[in-house]
Amino acid sequence: MEMNKDKKLNRREFLKVLGGGAVVTAAALCGCGRRESDTAASALGPVPTEGMTMRTNPTTGDRVSLLGYGCMRWPTLPEHAGGARAGEIDQEAVNELVDYAIAHGVNYFDTSPAYCRGRSEQATGVALKRHPRKSYFIATKLSNFAPSTWSREASLAMYRNSFDELQTDYIDYLLLHGVGMGNGMRDFEARYIDNGVLDFLLQEREAGRIRNLGFSYHGDVAVFDHLLSQHDKYRWDFVQIQLNYMDWRHAKEINKRNTDAEYLYGELAKRDIPAIIMEPLLGGRLSKVPDHVAATLKEQRPEASVASWAFRFAGSLPGVLTVLSGMTCMEHLQDNLRTFAPLEALTDADREFLERTAQTMLRYPTIPCNDCKYCMPCPYGLDIPGILLHYNKCVNEGDVPASAQDAGYRRARRAFLVGYGRAVEPERQADHCIGCNRCVHHCPQNIDIPRQMRRIDRFVEKLKRETL
């Protein structure tokens, strides 16, 4: 089977080129930038070509890879590519990532009509269609967030379009997307109950066009509890939750509307409902921890990446079916293969160590942005995720000074301002926010985005005027 028509590599040659060695190549393939501290936090050693840890779905008997591919952050063509294609998904890069993942045992691919500004399903479908249908599982979602999609007609049109985009006649794992977001039960009922859409999806499962039916949860725990109380009626085949070593016991300290993952996982385990894990890295924050935290993690396991600790935490729980990772670059995929092929489960001492690490991390209050881009596009052109992620990066690197009297103030001031100008174009920065609040309803982390934009803008102005 050819992996790349231009290079004409067969499977064995493809694995030979990309399968061995330490961190290779492919940051360039996806345009992944690296900092010096990123290199220090990466893993060492060869990429395993076999040995992927598998879990069994108790409902269908599916043998699912413990590492699942999250298709929210597919690589895009560089802006300097020119023409209408700049900024679009790089299909060739997606194909190579999917080929490499499947060749190394990954068989679960999670997408949505909302991902990559509506383009993820199509790109995922193109890449997967080149492989035998029985060799992978497709997970997608009914992402009817906007009130304009709450009617039965609009919701079913979205559902049916997923089959076309993914080029398939059945969905292995179909999710009600983001239940608990917005106005909690009121929105859930408008999206799925009042219009009869959930009844329709149950019929689709009976007909075999949906093999497993579940939901992904964000926000209002009353919705989560209600849906589990209806398990005898709906027979949820799986549930997707946010879980990592920070959210396990400290979710409310990070974001007051979130629920501790220990509770969510425990409620699923009581009912033998498999858990799918999203945000194991907390939007990337657990792979880009403050330098002294990274040093502590590396001291414990010098050969392992910082991110591997978070993935091992999620994967060590026996009720977890798969752990999703949005792997934009080949180096991310290769690093995760080192972790999951096979998984080395955490010890009790490891868990205690990670709890101490979580408590340390709580002293560095970042904004809980997971870079999902549900808030985009902003009608006034702001790069909302870019602004929030730059701020978080500077928090982690100690470049958010409290005052001009701080040690290293000059260096931190320059790092924040220069980095801000590079990360976010001037016309897309926080000072252009007018507080329209359109973004707030779409944020699964319930961030008060306009308030954060005002706060960051005030901080930037103080740095520029040196009045901090």
Side-chain angles (χ1 to χ4, degrees):
M1 177 177 64
E2 290 184 358
M3 296 295 159
N4 182 318
K5 290 182 179 179
D6 294 329
K7 297 180 182 178
K8 293 186 170 58
L9 290 179
N10 62 31
R11 182 180 184 277
R12 180 170 298 189
E13 291 168 335
F14 184 73
L15 287 172
K16 184 177 179 181
V17 172
L18 292 177
V23 176
V24 237
T25 75
L29 176 134
C30 306
C32 249
R34 293 181 65 86
R35 296 178 297 135
E36 191 171 330
S37 57
D38 291 335
T39 305
S42 63
L44 303 173
V47 179
T49 57
E50 55 187 18
M52 171 61 63
T53 299
M54 309 297 285
R55 293 277 168 84
T56 301
N57 181 329
T59 303
T60 60
D62 292 343
R63 292 282 288 164
V64 178
S65 58
L66 188 53
L67 173 61
Y69 213 121
C71 305
M72 180 190 286
R73 300 180 177 97
W74 282 133
T76 56
L77 293 164
E79 294 298 334
H80 56 73
R85 298 190 66 210
E88 292 181 2
I89 291 176
D90 185 341
Q91 189 65 56
E92 182 179 354
V94 172
N95 292 351
E96 293 198 31
L97 288 165
V98 167
D99 293 343
Y100 192 92
I102 289 177
H104 288 75
V106 176
N107 66 3
Y108 188 98
F109 295 84
D110 172 87
T111 183
S112 157
Y115 293 170
C116 303
R117 302 193 187 184
R119 296 172 294 186
S120 175
E121 282 187 322
Q122 182 184 59
T124 304
V126 168
L128 289 175
K129 187 68 173 178
R130 299 152 53 253
H131 295 269
R133 181 63 181 88
K134 294 291 186 180
S135 67
Y136 56 84
F137 303 112
I138 294 176
T140 194
K141 307 172 182 72
L142 187 51
S143 305
N144 56 348
F145 304 131
S148 61
T149 64
W150 289 358
S151 71
R152 180 182 179 88
E153 293 74 22
S155 293
L156 297 193
M158 180 182 292
Y159 167 73
R160 289 171 176 136
N161 187 62
S162 292
F163 287 82
D164 293 337
E165 298 281 34
L166 291 163
Q167 303 183 55
T168 187
D169 55 6
Y170 65 93
I171 303 295
D172 297 289
Y173 293 79
L174 192 283
L175 297 90
L176 315 183
H177 196 180
V179 303
M181 287 174 58
N183 293 308
M185 280 299 300
R186 188 172 71 184
D187 282 9
F188 169 75
E189 289 175 352
R191 293 171 62 191
Y192 296 115
I193 303 300
D194 298 342
N195 55 14
V197 165
L198 181 51
D199 288 337
F200 170 83
L201 296 177
L202 292 169
Q203 294 168 5
E204 289 290 278
R205 181 174 63 181
E206 288 298 314
R209 285 181 287 274
I210 297 172
R211 296 184 59 246
N212 297 272
L213 181 63
F215 63 90
S216 66
Y217 160 72
H218 292 279
D220 187 350
V221 72
V223 184
F224 177 86
D225 289 339
H226 171 75
L227 292 183
L228 290 197
S229 74
Q230 300 293 305
H231 181 47
D232 288 344
K233 176 180 180 181
Y234 296 129
R235 293 186 296 107
W236 303 113
D237 297 302
F238 67 104
V239 173
Q240 190 162 302
I241 59 173
Q242 180 169 313
L243 185 151
N244 51 70
Y245 65 79
M246 291 289 293
D247 281 318
W248 185 248
R249 291 178 178 163
H250 305 286
K252 286 190 176 297
E253 296 170 73
I254 299 168
N255 187 326
K256 63 183 179 181
R257 202 179 179 205
N258 283 355
T259 304
D260 286 350
E262 184 177 29
Y263 171 79
L264 302 175
Y265 174 80
E267 291 300 300
L268 296 177
K270 286 178 189 176
R271 297 165 176 82
D272 295 321
I273 301 173
I276 307 291
I277 304 307
M278 59 183 166
E279 301 299 346
L281 293 179
L282 198 56
R285 280 170 281 168
L286 299 185
S287 64
K288 299 174 183 176
V289 299
D291 289 345
H292 71 282
V293 176
T296 304
L297 294 168
K298 294 296 286 185
E299 183 180 359
Q300 290 286 319
R301 289 170 62 89
E303 78 289 355
S305 69
V306 167
S308 70
W309 282 96
F311 285 115
R312 289 177 63 222
F313 180 87
S316 294
L317 296 164
V320 169
L321 185 63
T322 192
V323 180
L324 300 175
S325 177
M327 297 170 281
T328 308
C329 298
M330 189 67 76
E331 61 183 322
H332 297 163
L333 173 56
Q334 292 172 331
D335 184 38
N336 290 343
L337 290 169
R338 294 186 183 95
T339 300
F340 285 100
L343 177 79
E344 181 183 339
L346 293 180
T347 64
D348 289 342
D350 289 334
R351 293 183 187 280
E352 292 171 4
F353 168 66
L354 286 180
E355 172 57 22
R356 293 194 299 272
T357 301
Q359 293 176 12
T360 300
M361 289 281 290
L362 288 172
R363 301 187 201 128
Y364 299 86
T366 54
I367 300 166
C369 173
N370 291 341
D371 194 26
C372 67
K373 296 183 174 62
Y374 292 178
C375 58
M376 298 295 284
C378 167
Y380 295 93
L382 273 74
D383 180 2
I384 296 168
I387 295 164
L388 298 181
L389 294 176
H390 174 71
Y391 179 85
N392 286 344
K393 173 178 177 288
C394 289
V395 169
N396 284 336
E397 295 176 6
D399 292 332
V400 181
S403 77
Q405 283 67 52
D406 285 4
Y409 165 75
R410 290 288 173 191
R411 181 201 59 77
R413 173 182 179 271
R414 184 178 188 281
F416 191 103
L417 291 177
V418 172
Y420 190 36
R422 291 173 176 169
V424 184
E425 298 170 12
E427 63 272 17
R428 306 188 71 192
Q429 293 180 359
D431 59 319
H432 289 272
C433 178
I434 69 161
C436 71
N437 287 321
R438 294 187 189 180
C439 52
V440 174
H441 181 77
H442 297 286
C443 178
Q445 300 299 322
N446 300 291
I447 301 168
D448 186 341
I449 294 170
R451 185 175 72 83
Q452 295 295 348
M453 293 296 106
R454 292 192 297 271
R455 184 172 71 86
I456 292 171
D457 182 45
R458 287 195 298 269
F459 178 72
V460 169
E461 283 303 308
K462 288 179 179 180
L463 288 181
K464 287 179 178 178
R465 298 172 184 271
E466 298 202 63
T467 58
L468 194 64

